[in-house]
Amino acid sequence: MARAQGARARMALAFETIYGTPPASGFSRMPFASTTLGVEQPLLNSELLGYGRDPLAPVKDAVTADGDVVVPIDAQAFGFWLKAAFGAPTTTGTAPGPFTHTFQSGSWTLPSMAIETGMPEVPRYALYSGAVLDQLTWQMQRSGLLTATARLVAQGETINTTSQAGTPAELDLIRFGHFNGAIKRNGTALGNVISTEITYANNLDRIETIRADGMIDGADPSIAALTGRTEVRFADSTLVTQAINGAPCELEFSYTLISGESLTFTAHAVYLPRPRLEISGPQGVQASFDWQAARDATLGRMCTAVLINDVEDY
C-alpha cells in the first residue's frame, strides 16, 4: 500500500477567468517548499435538552478554505505570486527576451487562482478554486535559503483521484539567494543591516453570504498594507534622525543574478518609528525599526515590483 510522502507532492497553478471556476487548461507547475492550504468544516455541538446525558449528533458549520504556501523567490515562478498580489503586470520587451514585468500596488481587482496539490501515490489531488492572495512575506538576511510565504484565501476544495491540471507547463527554476540581495535608501546603499522582514497585505474581506454549500462568495481587497522590520547595527544616526523628523524615505530591496535576471521591490514612501536604543552588554548595539509604507503623493502608489526574466507573459 502506497503512503503519501511530501517528497512526491506536486503543485500546479492557473489563473481563473471567472471566480471560483477552475480553467480547463493553462496550468503551470509551481515549485514550493511546504503548504498548509486546505479546507476545514468544524462541527457544532448540539445544544438541545431532553434526550438524556448523551449528546445528539453535531451539526456542520461553514466551510473555511485558506492556508499558506512557502515558495522560493526565483526568476520565473515568483512572477505568478506577484501577479496574485498586485494584479497583471505591464510587460515590455521582445522575443526572445529579456522581458521586464512591472507590478504596481493599488489595484482594486485581484486575479483568482486555481491551485492543485497532488499526492499521486494515494492518489489524492486537491483542487482549490477561487484562491486569492491575502499576504506575501519574506525576509532578507545574510545566509540561508531565500523563500517567501504566500497566505491565501480560497473558496472551496474538490478532491479527485486524477489530476485536473492536465500537463502543466514547466518553468526553469532560477533561484535568487540572500547573497544576491541589496538594500538601498533613497538610491544609496544602506549599510549595517542585519536582517529585514517585508510584508505586503491585501487585507482581504471575505464575502460570507448565505449559501447552500457553506462557501464564501468572494474575497475582496480592502486597504493594503506594506510593513516591515529592519534590524541594523547602530553605526550612524541616519535612520534615527529620519524617524525623529517624521519624513519618509524610499527603500529598495533587490536581487540580481549574473545571468541577467533580477527582482526589485521598491517601497516609495517609508515611515520609520523612533526606536529604543538599548545597551544590553559589551557587544554591538542594535536598533529595530518597525516601519510602514504609505502612498507616495507624486507616484500615486505605495510600492512597485519589477521582475526581469525571459518569460513573455504572466
Side-chain angles (χ1 to χ4, degrees), residues 14 41 50 90 119 170-171 204 211 305:
Q41 188 174 23
T90 299
M119 291 178 281
E170 294 286 342
L171 300 170
L204 297 178
R211 294 171 51 124

Side-chain angles (χ1 to χ4, degrees), residues 66-86:
D66 55 21
D68 296 342
V69 181
V70 179
V71 300
I73 298 183
D74 71 314
Q76 292 195 359
F78 197 63
F80 288 91
W81 302 110
L82 290 175
K83 179 179 178 179
F86 300 107

